[in-house]
Amino acid sequence: MAYDIPGRDERFTGRTERRDGMTVTDQPFFVSVRVDTLDEAQRYWDVLAEDASVIEPLAASAWSAGFGMLTDRFGVTWSVDVTSAPAT
């Protein structure tokens, strides 16, 4: 569950990046969306990516058929991934 902070008009500050396969951040929290299919992940990604800063593009990874991370236009960092393993 997540909710806004009444009276807060400014964006969250801080930066998140991927460096050598690790996430480096000073953000206070991330929001994670985990889905069963790559198509479903892509639908969420397409909406969240509008005016966002992409940290890691949505793509297959060693642990998932799809993983991506971005900071949305409000300054919230999202992680989107697929529960299934990548195709071999």
Side-chain angles (χ1 to χ4, degrees):
M1 178 175 88
Y3 56 89
D4 64 350
I5 301 170
R8 182 184 177 105
D9 294 328
E10 69 275 1
R11 294 175 50 138
F12 287 100
T13 59
R15 178 163 171 75
T16 302
E17 63 183 286
R18 296 279 292 167
R19 192 179 314 146
D20 299 323
M22 294 177 49
T23 301
V24 179
T25 188
D26 58 1
Q27 291 283 315
F29 65 90
F30 290 174
V31 179
S32 177
V33 176
R34 178 166 280 174
V35 296
D36 293 326
T37 68
L38 184 56
D39 287 339
E40 188 177 5
Q42 189 67 58
R43 286 194 301 271
Y44 281 107
W45 184 264
D46 290 343
V47 173
L48 291 167
E50 187 175 325
D51 297 325
S53 174
V54 174
I55 299 162
E56 178 106 8
L58 181 63
S61 69
W63 66 88
S64 175
F67 169 80
M69 186 178 285
L70 57 77
T71 301
D72 71 14
R73 63 184 170 261
F74 304 107
V76 177
T77 299
W78 292 78
S79 170
V80 177
D81 73 317
V82 179
T83 57
S84 62
T88 56

